[in-house]
């Protein structure tokens, strides 16, 4: 999970830089940076499909998120092919998260406007 999140965050940051380019709409977009990294988002109804490519390593990753009411169900595959999952539920000002990372470790935490624990 940590590997995936770092890669995903770096891709988003790269797409936000002056050297990056994003095209598309709110239902489908693709971004790439000057180094050749890229990711795409495809939104269909309550589901978002995201996939990315790291040009330095030649690796790819993906995730799918399905939102039903106040709960989001996300699953994906990290660059090494390991699967992971996460469920997030909004209750009042808290969001509760639980799941399993790409190394098979379980996690459980909550967040609000003041941070996460």
């Amino acid at each position: 999970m940590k590997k995936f999140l770092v890669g995903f965050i770096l891709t988003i940051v790269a797409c936000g830089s002056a050297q990056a380019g994003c095209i598309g709409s709110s239902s489908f977009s693709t971004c790439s940076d000057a180094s050749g990294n890229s990711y795409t988002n495809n939104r269909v109804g309550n589901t978002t499909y995201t996939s990315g490519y790291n040009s330095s390593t030649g690796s790819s990753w993906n995730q799918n998120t399905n939102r039903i009411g106040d709960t989001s169900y996300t699953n994906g595959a990290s660059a090494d092919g390991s699967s992971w999952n996460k469920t997030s539920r909004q209750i009042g000002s808290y969001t509760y998260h639980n799941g399993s990372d790409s190394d098979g470790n379980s996690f459980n935490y909550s967040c609000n406007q003041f941070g996460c624990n």
Side-chain angles (χ1 to χ4, degrees), residues 58-115:
S59 61
S60 299
W61 52 267
N62 67 71
Q63 74 177 47
N64 303 320
T65 301
N66 186 20
R67 185 165 183 86
I68 301 172
D70 58 4
T71 306
S72 294
Y73 303 93
T74 304
N75 60 66
S78 63
D80 68 3
S82 300
S83 62
W84 58 273
N85 66 74
K86 178 180 178 182
T87 301
S88 301
R89 183 167 186 202
Q90 181 77 38
I91 301 176
S93 63
Y94 283 86
T95 304
Y96 298 90
H97 308 275
N98 62 60
S100 178
D101 68 19
S102 61
D103 293 323
N105 301 310
S106 297
F107 60 86
N108 186 357
Y109 64 96
S110 63
C111 301
N112 65 13
Q113 67 272 28
F114 303 110

Side-chain angles (χ1 to χ4, degrees), residues 22-67:
C22 296
I23 58 171
S25 66
S26 62
S27 60
F28 182 83
S29 62
T30 185
C31 296
S32 60
D33 65 19
S35 298
N37 301 310
S38 62
Y39 76 95
T40 61
N41 282 310
N42 185 14
R43 293 171 191 85
V44 180
N46 293 334
T47 304
T48 302
Y49 304 92
T50 304
S51 60
Y53 173 75
N54 181 322
S55 64
S56 297
T57 63
S59 61
S60 299
W61 52 267
N62 67 71
Q63 74 177 47
N64 303 320
T65 301
N66 186 20
R67 185 165 183 86

